[in-house]
Amino acid sequence: MRNTMVVFRRELAGYFGTPVAYVFLIIFLALSGYFTWFVGGMYETDQADLQTFFTFLPWVFLALIPALCMRTWAEERRQGTIELLLTLPISAGQAVMGKFLAAWCFTSVALLLTVTEWVTVNYLGEPDNGVIFASYLGALLMAGSFIAIGSCISSMTKNQVIAFVLSLAVSLGFILIGFLQDIPFLTTFLPAVVVDALRNMSFLTHFGEISRGVIDLRDLVFFLSLIAFFLFANTAIVDIKKAD
Amino acid sequence: MTKSFMTGFGLLIGLVLFVTVNIFAGSALHKVRVDLTEDGLYSLSTGSRNILANLDEPITVRYFFSKKVAESSNASSLAAYNRRVRELLEEYAAATDSIELIVIEPEPFSEEEDEAVGYGLTGARINQAGDRMYFGMVATNSVDDESVIPFFDPSNEQLLEYEVTKILSDLATGSKKIVGILSTLPIRGSQASPPGMPPQQPQQPPWAIVSQIEQNFEVRWIGPEGITEIDPEVDVLMLVHPKDLSDATRYAVDQYALKGGKIMAFVDALSNFDPSANQRDPMANRTSNPHDLLSSWGVELVGSRMAGDSEAAQQVPSENGTLFFPLFMGMKGDNMSEDDVATDNLDLVNMFTSGILTTRGDATTTVEPLIRTGTESMQVDTIKMQFQPDLKSIADTFVPSGERLTVAVRITGDIQSAFPDGAPADPNAEEATPDETTTEDGEGEESDEEEGTEGEDEATEPDEPEDTHLAASEATFNAIVVADCDMLYNDLWGRQQRDLFGRVFIRAIADNHTFIINSLENLCGSSDMISLRSRGRYQRPFEKKLELQKEASESFRAREEELQAKLLKTEEQLADLQKERTDTGGQLLSEEQEQMIQRFRDEQVQTRKDLRQVQRDLQQDIDGLGRRLKFFNIAALPLVILLGGLLFSTSRKILR
């Protein structure tokens, strides 16, 4: 546990010690704000809720989180510091966990800073704050999922660009998989059970459910099991590469 | 076995595990959830749970949803609503063993589709192939009574739980609820004269509202004379124009209310169908006056005043055609409570010479307005309508007060008896004198032994047990009080027509009857059903913007009136000038007159410009707020972070 914390602190310091954190936060806030207020036209909807904001959030995550995570392992491998890391008495699992938690913590800070949206909507009207709280929770879990995927893929390659593009693709896959049912060709060709199952693998489906205001165990299980799987994969890959 | 292979295999296992866990969770775990919404929108309310707990009748609920048809079209909102409805029904089934849920998916040309059609479900054509989608429910009980929801309408989501619970509750209780009508108005129609006597007045049929009520309830006519007690079997007591009711009758109503009886009371400032309202006595009192009862319930009927609303005014015939008469109010959606089952979904309720209800300061109950006028209201003296009313004058002298007047309320809570000293003395008992029969000596003893009935009564009167008198509520009191009786009358909500077979029926032109039936149904249920109001606020508007818009339109109107008045004055001056000109017969305008005309035109142009400017100014306030909020959300924090970051990095550079 303590080892994990060591890695955690080191990573977090790494974020804030460089322009990475500031650029990420600025762009994240500006982009999500822009989408919400201009593209989504929140002021014109006259609805006191943060639906517009949360509709665009998955896409903002999609664009930015792979970028955040691409350097997690790829950088280390490129610079050769990964060997140094792994000679220390830290297990691969602890290292993976530490980095993951650091990234997740950082993204939570970014989400926290969107509190301006919450303040604004409460100033304009009387929103259902329970729903908003649930939505933020869902956003946190979804962010964790994006990060787990990004970290895992980053550990597979030395090249950050490849890491970024692949993470983007896989994350996009998890979003778009929910739209498969809209392709009539596929619905006739695949059994309904499979289409259903695929839809239940979508980030949007589960995030959408949570942002209604209901925390269903199914949705929690989905995100947590996804994070667990990718962290496990991440650990396995780091272990393998260690041997090289 | 190489490590890579092991890892690869491990990953595969991990993947399979991930997929399996989720599929398992999907089917097994769907009852475990936490509803974080403020109004508990996605859970069964306490009211429903209580009713389900007491449900002892086995009910089968068949839920129909054509899943494949829905998926093959773009009906995504229906698919989402399906999930909501299905999960709600599953919660019902989980809450009690009495309910069995069967889920049926009627695909085109299947037996299930025939079953759906057989039950009367509506099939909607939603895809290009013309396939029908079914999305409804049928509930049946052990004696094969059926209740159907032909199609679940997502726009009616607010009433979903109420409708389903009501269906289940009704199926369990079986028999029709009993509505007791106590009326001083001739809504039952005129009674046939006793045989042998000439008919007093033309035979009047019962008011159409009666047959509407009879379709949904068992109707019992009560009093209004000669009552000492309201039968506790009566589920809802409908009071119509309680005027000059005897103490005994009012006491009976009072005690009924204290026992938890439900009441729907129609009172009126001026009832136009009051039997005393005829040519012979135009000044007779036509106001309802159960003041002590109303007081104990927490409300008051404002004395001698009628509610008028110029915005809601409907047209009445007058000398010059028609006239918008503010005492004939067409109450629309904005006037009615959206949160209450009784008024939700109503479009138009017509009211005529309605009274005004106020909540008393010492009310022990919760009084919620169901129907209110708009802000263009005025309290009009009843005397103006009492004798040879001048409708035009009432309309012309209408001065809007800016306040909203309440004309219908819902009352809930515990009340005290309106008769704190107990049952009122029976006036009949005072008439009974001791039986002083003078008897002849021989029979004297016998007569002493005779049971003198009147004497007995007098003797037992004081022994009447005081403990049957209730001084305070035994159970929560629920009532709806409407300040207008005329709204019950045929012409205010319908037109008589004849159908193909010559039968007379009523074609509705307003929703008065719906309001009344909804209210009666709602009151007939237990307090649990009544608590199932339309749940959840689905509309949460930007109130800040609404405030600004309201301010804007108010100050715009004030300014507009100012400018219009100015314009009018200038026009008048011009008209005078023109008149002068024609008087003098001159064709040529004097210098002075020319100047005046020019000034008038200039003023006109300026005034119009001013008006447009006022409009622009006020829209700017709203836009300005929008701009500031956008800046706050998009740029404010990023700028702070940018500054912070720059400061931080420059400070580090300096320190190095």
Side-chain angles (χ1 to χ4, degrees), chain B residues 249-269:
Chain B
T249 310
R250 293 200 324 280
Y251 179 70
V253 174
D254 174 73
Q255 293 291 296
Y256 174 76
L258 291 173
K259 289 195 186 109
K262 319 288 195 297
I263 296 186
M264 184 165 189
F266 292 88
V267 297
D268 208 336

Side-chain angles (χ1 to χ4, degrees), chain A residues 35-49:
Chain A
F35 276 134
T36 306
W37 293 92
F38 282 99
V39 180
M42 166 111 153
Y43 191 60
E44 285 72 31
T45 61
D46 280 329
Q47 290 294 336
D49 58 37

Side-chain angles (χ1 to χ4, degrees), chain B residues 465-496:
Chain B
E466 284 286 314
D467 45 57
T468 59
H469 168 76
L470 290 175
S473 277
E474 260 185 356
T476 315
F477 176 57
N478 281 291
I480 290 179
V481 179
V482 183
D484 186 32
C485 295
D486 303 311
M487 66 123 75
L488 291 161
Y489 185 62
N490 300 356
D491 285 349
L492 253 78
W493 58 274
R495 295 283 173 266
Q496 291 212 328

Side-chain angles (χ1 to χ4, degrees), chain A residues 87-134:
Chain A
T87 52
L88 297 170
I90 307 179
S91 74
Q94 285 165 337
V96 165
M97 197 50 141
K99 282 180 180 276
F100 170 74
L101 286 177
W104 208 6
C105 178
F106 176 69
T107 317
S108 313
V109 170
L111 264 182
L112 207 68
L113 290 175
T114 62
V115 72
T116 50
E117 306 281 351
W118 182 75
V119 166
T120 304
V121 85
N122 269 289
Y123 168 74
L124 282 175
E126 282 179 35
D128 186 333
N129 286 315
V131 170
I132 294 180
F133 176 71

Side-chain angles (χ1 to χ4, degrees), chain B residues 209-449:
Chain B
I209 190 70
V210 173
S211 72
Q212 293 280 326
I213 300 176
E214 280 172 344
Q215 280 171 25
N216 291 289
F217 305 94
E218 182 191 322
V219 171
R220 287 202 197 158
W221 296 92
I222 301 180
E225 315 284 321
I227 327 167
T228 49
E229 192 196 359
I230 308 277
D231 191 340
E233 271 193 354
V234 170
D235 293 300
V236 176
L237 178 64
M238 183 165 140
L239 286 174
V240 180
H241 192 44
K243 189 188 97 169
D244 297 338
L245 295 177
S246 68
D247 285 348
T249 310
R250 293 200 324 280
Y251 179 70
V253 174
D254 174 73
Q255 293 291 296
Y256 174 76
L258 291 173
K259 289 195 186 109
K262 319 288 195 297
I263 296 186
M264 184 165 189
F266 292 88
V267 297
D268 208 336
L270 192 80
S271 167
N272 292 284
F273 296 94
D274 191 317
S276 63
N278 50 36
Q279 300 292 6
R280 275 176 286 160
D281 190 3
M283 298 310 279
N285 173 37
R286 285 182 261 164
T287 313
S288 308
N289 55 10
H291 299 303
D292 50 359
L293 289 174
L294 289 177
S295 297
S296 70
W297 302 345
V299 293
E300 238 172 59
L301 185 67
V302 174
S304 313
R305 294 272 185 277
M306 303 176 286
D309 185 341
S310 58
E311 266 183 322
Q314 302 272 53
Q315 287 180 309
V316 296
S318 80
E319 313 152 328
N320 311 331
T322 62
L323 165 72
F324 280 99
F325 189 49
L327 295 178
F328 180 21
M329 308 187 288
M331 299 307 215
K332 302 212 175 72
D334 290 341
N335 301 106
M336 302 193 274
S337 167
E338 285 171 352
D339 294 330
D340 199 302
V341 170
T343 50
D344 188 27
N345 284 340
L346 293 179
D347 286 325
L348 175 67
V349 172
N350 283 328
M351 304 179 82
F352 188 64
T353 61
S354 165
I356 303 162
L357 292 169
T358 52
T359 310
R360 285 176 63 94
D362 59 3
T364 54
T365 50
T366 311
V367 178
E368 289 157 302
L370 286 179
I371 306 180
R372 286 188 296 173
T373 65
T375 50
E376 306 303 298
S377 72
M378 179 182 171
Q379 298 194 14
V380 178
D381 220 298
T382 48
I383 205 139
K384 290 199 180 162
M385 284 294 291
Q386 197 100 8
F387 178 65
Q388 290 182 348
D390 183 351
L391 303 188
K392 184 156 191 317
S393 143
I394 294 176
D396 286 343
T397 55
F398 193 88
V399 177
S401 69
E403 279 186 340
R404 299 187 74 172
L405 302 173
T406 307
V407 293
V409 296
R410 179 188 284 279
I411 301 174
T412 325
D414 289 334
I415 55 175
Q416 306 273 324
S417 172
F419 293 84
D421 301 325
D426 184 356
N428 292 331
E430 283 161 10
E431 292 163 10
T433 53
D435 201 354
E436 287 184 52
T437 47
T438 48
T439 61
E440 295 172 4
D441 286 337
E443 297 165 28
E445 290 170 11
E446 283 177 279
S447 65
D448 280 340
E449 287 165 16

Side-chain angles (χ1 to χ4, degrees), chain A residues 43 48 124 126 213 215 240, chain B residues 34 36 540 543-545 622:
Chain A
Y43 191 60
L124 282 175
E126 282 179 35
I215 314 262
I240 287 255
Chain B
V34 176
L36 288 178
R540 289 173 184 261
E543 315 208 334
K544 238 326 165 285
K545 260 173 101 173
I622 295 180

Side-chain angles (χ1 to χ4, degrees), chain B residues 534-598:
Chain B
S534 298
R535 294 186 54 218
R537 295 172 51 192
Y538 285 80
Q539 289 293 7
R540 289 173 184 261
F542 282 158
E543 315 208 334
K544 238 326 165 285
K545 260 173 101 173
L546 286 179
E547 261 174 49
L548 285 178
Q549 275 165 356
K550 198 155 163 266
E551 272 174 37
S553 67
E554 271 169 16
S555 73
F556 175 74
R557 238 212 353 245
R559 187 94 178 89
E560 184 187 36
E561 277 168 24
E562 221 181 277
L563 292 170
Q564 297 283 37
K566 213 168 101 178
L567 210 60
L568 206 67
K569 191 151 156 278
T570 325
E571 276 177 14
E572 278 171 15
Q573 284 174 337
L574 189 68
D576 286 342
L577 212 62
Q578 302 281 40
K579 194 158 168 295
E580 262 181 46
R581 181 157 70 105
T582 51
D583 280 352
T584 56
Q587 295 295 325
L588 296 168
L589 293 170
S590 75
E591 185 79 25
E592 188 199 346
Q593 290 164 334
E594 286 269 10
Q595 278 186 353
M596 267 230 82
I597 292 178
Q598 190 52 43

